[in-house]
Amino acid sequence: MEDSSRAYAEKLQAALLEKQTFINREVIQILTDSVSEYRQLLESLLSALINSRILVKDPYSSSAIIHDLKLPSEEPISKKVQTDEISFRLSEYLRQLSFVENNYEISLDSLSITRITELNNIFNYINWGRLSPTSESPNEKVLAGIEKSIMNGDDNLVKGIFRDSRKQLAEQGYLIKCCLKDIYIYRKEFYKNEVRTRVLDLPVPVSDISGNRLDESVLVIKKLYKDEMGEQPFYSDFIKEIIIEDFSEDKDPPRKEALTSLISHNTVISEPDTEEKQENGDSALEILLKGIRNLVPAGNALMSISGKLMHNSDVIDKESRSALQRFFSFLFGRKDKKSDRIYSVVLFNTENETGNRTKINLGKLVEELKANGQLLLSYGNKTNRNYMKLLHLTPEELEKKLSKHIKELFLYQSKLTALDLHMKDAATNAMRGSMQGFKLDMNDIQSSMFKANNFKMEYLERLKSEK
């Protein structure tokens, strides 16, 4: 091996080791966190748009099972079905993101070139920083129209959620793609280095390889490849880069470019905020904030249940009144005051296993559910005023707030279960066919409580160990 090639090989090995260390120490964790954050942001945005009746809920969203990554449709959308179609595509997209978060191993060893490409395609599906009516993507065109409609409307809450969510989705998407680019560069140069050491160092003449005859040279290497590299994919473009860097007359510029790509990191690393974070991972405050953010799906569930409760109450009330009663109500303009609908239900106490009868004012409960649902939803937006307030709390204050939310959700579970049973008992078979169930929403509340409580217990365990 000539001196210049030996020197390049040594520099390449050192750069590969540095890149590997950087990815394992920094990039993998950032990528894992960003994938989760991206999914949560989209889930919060989709929930807000559904609750505001801008989009519709996919009835199959909870039952669909994902086995592998597959992008939702990117076909043009007819104006007649724009709302339904973009709702279903975003719902499917959210399921794909959940699959990545929960079933896709994110590590340097598992992220092959093929898998990196798959993930890039997933996070390029919608460019949130480029929503435009002139976009080449039909999905981005429709979302640009939805954004325009929202910004021209009067709902300031939805305006803020859409604007902030879009900004954060664009930022997290960019960060994810930077992480993937760093891993891709490492995998590519590692692959090329393997081919150099395992194939091109064989005692087989490679005099037919030349930078001036790229295609013929690729075929020469391909004949030697399988015996040494087995079933590993043969990347022709990478092989051409090897030929240019090792066998062309002007090899220095491409070699310098390859080394620079390894040494320069695309993923920007910010310094840890505290010494505690450096030594122990997440700070106490961050652990509790994660617990708070895990309550976002419960917020969506509360909003959904509030509408379903009122709908079910309307069904029972309408069917229960006689035609004559409905006629007089219409004739004299007497409207039913939904806020005065009182239901007497039995609440089960898990501590002493007894049931206590109590009265529930439906109107007040529905307004309470909406208010608390909106509050929990706002925690999914890091630029929202409610979330920003959390950052100024001490860990002790934040733990109390998290405990308060969990306790409220627990009480809601008891009330809502009792109210659902009461309404079903009061309904005829015909009424039940028109009523809306919320079992899946209750499951979301239970799941959110469980996850949030785990972070609370993690905080308390750390607090106990530090004493």
Side-chain angles (χ1 to χ4, degrees):
M1 182 184 293
E2 59 182 275
D3 291 343
S4 63
S5 295
R6 185 177 293 106
Y8 174 65
E10 290 173 357
K11 289 180 181 177
L12 189 62
Q13 287 283 9
L16 280 168
L17 182 59
E18 180 188 335
K19 193 76 165 184
Q20 181 188 48
T21 303
F22 170 72
I23 291 171
N24 284 327
R25 187 184 64 233
E26 305 284 0
V27 176
I28 294 300
Q29 188 59 54
I30 291 174
L31 180 58
T32 302
D33 291 344
S34 295
V35 166
S36 178
E37 184 74 15
Y38 189 95
R39 193 269 308 160
Q40 289 179 32
L41 285 166
L42 182 62
E43 184 174 51
S44 298
L45 175 60
L46 195 53
S47 296
L49 296 180
I50 290 171
N51 289 325
S52 302
R53 302 187 185 281
I54 295 168
L55 297 181
V56 297
K57 187 169 184 178
D58 182 358
Y60 305 106
S61 60
S62 300
S63 58
I65 299 175
I66 304 295
H67 297 290
D68 51 20
L69 288 182
K70 182 182 178 182
L71 282 175
S73 175
E74 296 183 271
E75 293 295 314
I77 305 174
S78 168
K79 287 187 178 180
K80 293 181 180 179
V81 295
Q82 274 189 354
T83 300
D84 286 350
E85 184 60 28
I86 198 64
S87 298
F88 298 152
R89 289 185 186 186
L90 288 175
S91 180
E92 173 61 23
Y93 186 39
L94 186 59
R95 285 196 291 273
Q96 295 290 334
L97 293 173
S98 295
F99 177 80
V100 171
E101 182 181 4
N102 298 315
N103 302 97
Y104 222 71
E105 184 182 351
I106 297 179
S107 68
L108 186 55
D109 291 336
S110 66
L111 289 174
S112 62
I113 294 293
T114 301
R115 287 198 157 195
I116 293 169
T117 303
E118 287 178 345
L119 289 178
N120 256 317
N121 291 338
I122 285 290
F123 291 99
N124 277 321
Y125 179 64
I126 295 174
N127 188 331
W128 294 99
R130 194 185 58 192
L131 298 185
S132 166
T134 60
S135 173
E136 294 181 2
S137 164
N139 299 321
E140 289 170 12
K141 282 183 181 179
V142 173
L143 286 169
I146 290 173
E147 179 181 37
K148 183 178 179 181
S149 176
I150 290 172
M151 295 309 163
N152 289 336
D154 299 325
D155 193 331
N156 291 327
L157 176 63
V158 177
K159 282 183 186 180
I161 290 174
F162 192 96
R163 181 175 56 248
D164 295 339
S165 296
R166 176 187 167 181
K167 179 175 179 288
Q168 291 182 70
L169 282 165
E171 290 172 352
Q172 289 299 323
Y174 176 74
L175 182 56
I176 288 168
K177 284 177 272 190
C178 285
C179 291
L180 292 173
K181 188 171 183 180
D182 274 321
I183 299 170
Y184 175 86
I185 288 169
Y186 172 82
R187 297 300 300 180
K188 180 179 77 168
E189 295 302 330
F190 182 84
Y191 171 88
K192 286 161 60 180
N193 196 52
E194 269 202 306
V195 172
R196 284 186 175 101
T197 56
R198 293 174 59 181
V199 178
L200 297 183
D201 272 0
L202 290 172
V204 178
V206 290
S207 56
D208 292 337
I209 300 175
S210 167
N212 297 324
R213 302 191 306 276
L214 273 178
D215 292 335
E216 295 93 326
S217 300
V218 168
L219 293 176
V220 172
I221 294 175
K222 193 171 185 178
K223 291 177 181 177
L224 308 171
Y225 183 91
K226 189 171 183 180
D227 289 340
E228 288 300 315
M229 301 293 285
E231 297 302 318
Q232 289 190 52
F234 184 83
Y235 298 108
S236 297
D237 289 343
F238 298 167
I239 300 299
K240 288 180 180 179
E241 289 183 19
I242 295 173
I243 295 167
I244 292 171
E245 290 164 9
D246 290 11
F247 299 98
S248 66
E249 294 179 3
D250 192 15
K251 61 185 71 171
D252 289 339
R255 284 181 172 181
K256 183 178 179 181
E257 185 179 344
L259 284 172
T260 301
S261 70
L262 281 170
I263 296 169
S264 302
H265 302 318
N266 296 280
T267 309
V268 178
I269 307 300
S270 57
E271 291 298 320
D273 295 331
T274 61
E275 292 182 7
E276 179 184 7
K277 182 174 177 180
Q278 284 180 301
E279 295 174 2
N280 303 319
D282 287 338
S283 67
L285 190 65
E286 287 171 325
I287 291 171
L288 292 168
L289 285 172
K290 285 181 178 181
I292 290 280
R293 288 200 296 273
N294 268 281
L295 295 175
V296 171
N300 175 49
L302 293 180
M303 296 286 287
S304 176
I305 290 172
S306 68
K308 291 176 180 178
L309 276 176
M310 195 57 77
H311 169 83
N312 294 346
S313 179
D314 285 342
V315 169
I316 294 172
D317 179 71
K318 181 180 178 181
E319 296 297 327
S320 297
R321 289 186 298 166
S322 67
L324 187 61
Q325 287 174 317
R326 293 198 298 270
F327 171 74
F328 278 118
S329 294
F330 170 77
L331 186 63
F332 296 107
R334 289 188 305 212
K335 294 183 179 178
D336 172 50
K337 294 182 179 179
K338 297 179 181 180
S339 59
D340 291 338
R341 294 184 190 176
I342 309 296
Y343 293 92
S344 179
V345 301
V346 176
L347 298 182
F348 186 73
N349 190 324
T350 55
E351 293 182 2
N352 54 23
E353 297 185 350
T354 60
N356 300 308
R357 184 163 292 277
T358 186
K359 292 182 178 180
I360 295 178
N361 185 313
L362 182 67
K364 289 183 179 179
L365 176 62
V366 165
E367 291 306 313
E368 193 179 319
L369 292 174
K370 287 180 180 178
N372 280 286
Q374 287 181 343
L375 177 61
L376 295 182
L377 274 173
S378 69
Y379 292 150
N381 186 342
K382 289 186 176 180
T383 62
N384 186 278
R385 187 182 303 171
N386 291 322
Y387 183 84
M388 299 290 285
K389 288 179 181 178
L390 300 177
L391 303 179
H392 298 289
L393 299 179
T394 65
E396 292 78 14
E397 292 171 331
L398 194 55
E399 188 272 327
K400 288 181 180 178
K401 182 171 279 291
L402 178 59
S403 297
K404 178 175 175 288
H405 283 312
I406 293 173
K407 184 178 180 180
E408 286 175 344
L409 288 173
F410 183 80
L411 293 174
Y412 282 143
Q413 275 192 311
S414 179
K415 285 184 180 181
L416 294 172
T417 300
L419 201 51
D420 188 39
L421 288 172
H422 178 85
M423 287 185 176
K424 286 177 179 176
D425 288 340
T428 63
N429 290 335
M431 293 178 191
R432 289 177 186 173
S434 301
M435 293 170 69
Q436 297 177 349
F438 43 84
K439 182 179 179 181
L440 295 177
D441 296 308
M442 296 293 283
N443 289 344
D444 288 343
I445 293 175
Q446 181 68 37
S447 177
S448 289
M449 287 170 53
F450 177 77
K451 292 177 181 177
N453 195 58
N454 280 345
F455 282 107
K456 174 189 167 183
M457 297 308 297
E458 182 180 345
Y459 163 76
L460 293 176
E461 286 295 324
R462 174 179 290 191
L463 203 62
K464 185 177 177 181
S465 65
E466 290 175 353
K467 288 182 179 179

